[in-house]
Amino acid sequence: MLKNYASTLTIAGSIMLAIGAASAGAQEFQMTYAVTAPAMENAFSYTNHEVFAREVEARSGARIAVTFLPGGQLGGVESTINQVRDGVIQANDPSDVSLAPIFPEIQVLSLPYAFTSRDVAWRVLDGPFGQKLADLAAEKTGLRPLAWFENGGFRNFTSADKEMKTVDDLAGLKMRVPPTPMYLTIVESLGMSPTPVPWGELYTALQTGVADGQENAIPTFMVPKLYEVQKQMIMDGHIYAASAVAVNEEWYQGLPDDLKAVINQAANVAKWTNRGLAVSNEMAGRNYLEGIGVNINDVTAAEKERFRALAQPAARRWLEGEIGSELINDMQAAIATAEEELGYR
């Protein structure tokens, strides 16, 4: 029976799954699925994970018994990554940033201003390139991404009070970034001073002026109420933020083919749940932010090219030093194909 120790809202659904389990016979496999997001209604960062857990158990006829643990009950994402790799648990929810220390190749997705739009990103991640990246992760880390989720969408720069309309307006800002070299390189190339701050300290760092600004997708920006200390935003979309549902590779390969298919089907349903909610959460978030007086400026196509010309060469040089050029070239070729197929060229 699917267990969710974070919320009583799932009791009715769990009862229904228990009935299914009773009729289907004995449980054959256990999947403990630990995620960092707390239980939230219709949220890109939570609902997709609950959907995945429920779909696995329901589609398998409870042959896979799922214990779903949201809200960081087994620790932060770095801890659960190690637990999945060690086979202590079977699945978790790594972001691209959290995977980077053990799988630097994931940083190819952070090449700034690489994706024209989210539908191009989806086409690339759902195609041969996304599968190649997942297979490489499984081979190198023992952690297999089953589906590429959207971690809120495109990341944008914000500041406490400085309006930003062009790349020139960013010059000199102390910009909080995750403590990863790729993000530091991007921010430096755009004329800002990168200020690494852990996520848990971000609100305080912005409130006290340790950092002037930060960069995140709108739905992520909303969660810790950063709008209370950030009143300006520029929709530059420098990075498409990705995450995944990932499983222990040895456990996954040990499943019979029909249950592998179940896992893959459930991941696909969860993926589209996530993407739809990310779009909806972004739209609702922007409406809310503008309604409370946050100033949001869009970027023209010409100005976006200025951003790209400054940031992408430096980021690519750094990335090539880490992972070589093959994967970068493969992704850019996949982007070009997707843009052609979707009518952007």
Side-chain angles (χ1 to χ4, degrees), residues 8-326:
T8 58
L9 296 177
T10 60
I11 290 176
S14 295
I15 291 172
M16 293 303 294
L17 289 175
I19 294 170
S23 63
Q27 299 163 349
E28 299 175 30
F29 297 91
Q30 169 66 36
M31 186 180 82
T32 298
Y33 184 30
V35 304
T36 55
M40 294 181 286
E41 186 175 356
N42 294 326
F44 80 93
S45 59
Y46 170 78
T47 306
N48 50 311
H49 299 299
E50 185 170 29
V51 165
F52 176 67
R54 289 183 170 281
E55 289 289 321
V56 168
E57 192 157 278
R59 287 170 181 263
S60 72
R63 290 168 62 197
I64 302 176
V66 182
T67 300
F68 178 49
L69 300 172
Q73 295 180 57
L74 295 186
V77 67
E78 293 82 4
S79 174
T80 59
I81 283 173
N82 290 329
Q83 291 175 61
V84 174
R85 295 181 77 190
D86 293 340
V88 177
I89 63 176
Q90 289 70 48
N92 83 321
D93 62 331
S95 68
D96 50 4
V97 172
S98 61
L99 275 175
I102 63 166
F103 184 52
E105 289 84 355
I106 194 68
Q107 294 173 104
V108 69
L109 300 179
S110 299
L111 188 69
Y113 307 105
F115 293 103
T116 310
S117 66
R118 62 189 351 134
D119 54 328
V120 171
W122 296 345
R123 182 69 64 94
V124 170
L125 290 172
D126 292 347
F129 178 80
Q131 188 61 55
K132 178 177 180 176
L133 199 60
D135 290 341
L136 193 60
E139 175 189 336
K140 291 198 166 191
T141 71
L143 198 70
R144 173 172 291 278
L146 293 173
W148 296 109
F149 292 159
E150 184 165 295
N151 196 15
F154 284 97
R155 299 173 78 109
N156 306 293
F157 292 113
T158 69
S159 75
D161 51 27
K162 184 177 181 181
E163 185 174 17
M164 299 166 292
K165 292 183 177 180
T166 71
V167 68
D168 302 320
D169 297 326
L170 277 61
L173 287 173
K174 293 181 294 182
M175 186 61 58
R176 179 269 174 181
V177 291
T180 60
M182 179 62 133
Y183 282 75
L184 271 64
T185 300
I186 294 169
V187 166
E188 284 181 339
S189 69
L190 295 174
M192 293 174 281
S193 175
T195 306
V197 175
W199 173 255
E201 301 172 19
L202 175 54
Y203 187 99
T204 300
L206 295 170
Q207 187 178 43
T208 60
V210 170
D212 300 319
Q214 63 85 58
E215 50 78 53
N216 267 299
I218 285 179
T220 308
F221 179 82
M222 299 291 293
V223 173
K225 300 183 178 180
L226 297 182
Y227 49 79
E228 295 176 349
V229 290
Q230 299 279 280
K231 301 300 183 183
Q232 299 286 340
M233 179 180 293
I234 182 169
M235 298 289 286
D236 70 295
H238 48 281
I239 287 175
Y240 176 79
S243 61
V245 52
V247 295
N248 177 279
E249 172 72 350
E250 184 177 356
W251 177 81
Y252 174 77
Q253 296 300 341
L255 295 172
D257 287 345
D258 62 329
L259 291 184
K260 280 184 191 173
V262 160
I263 292 283
N264 295 336
Q265 292 160 8
N268 190 54
V269 173
K271 174 186 71 180
W272 289 111
T273 301
N274 158 264
R275 291 174 180 178
L277 285 171
V279 173
S280 176
N281 292 168
E282 181 182 88
M283 180 180 66
R286 178 164 184 165
N287 289 341
Y288 177 82
L289 292 173
E290 291 180 324
I292 63 171
V294 175
N295 183 46
I296 301 177
N297 289 316
D298 292 299
V299 176
T300 66
E303 190 62 28
K304 181 69 74 72
E305 284 302 318
R306 291 188 64 210
F307 275 94
R308 182 181 290 108
L310 286 169
Q312 196 170 103
R316 179 174 180 127
R317 284 192 299 271
W318 180 84
L319 191 56
E320 285 178 339
E322 294 293 304
I323 67 171
S325 60
E326 179 181 347

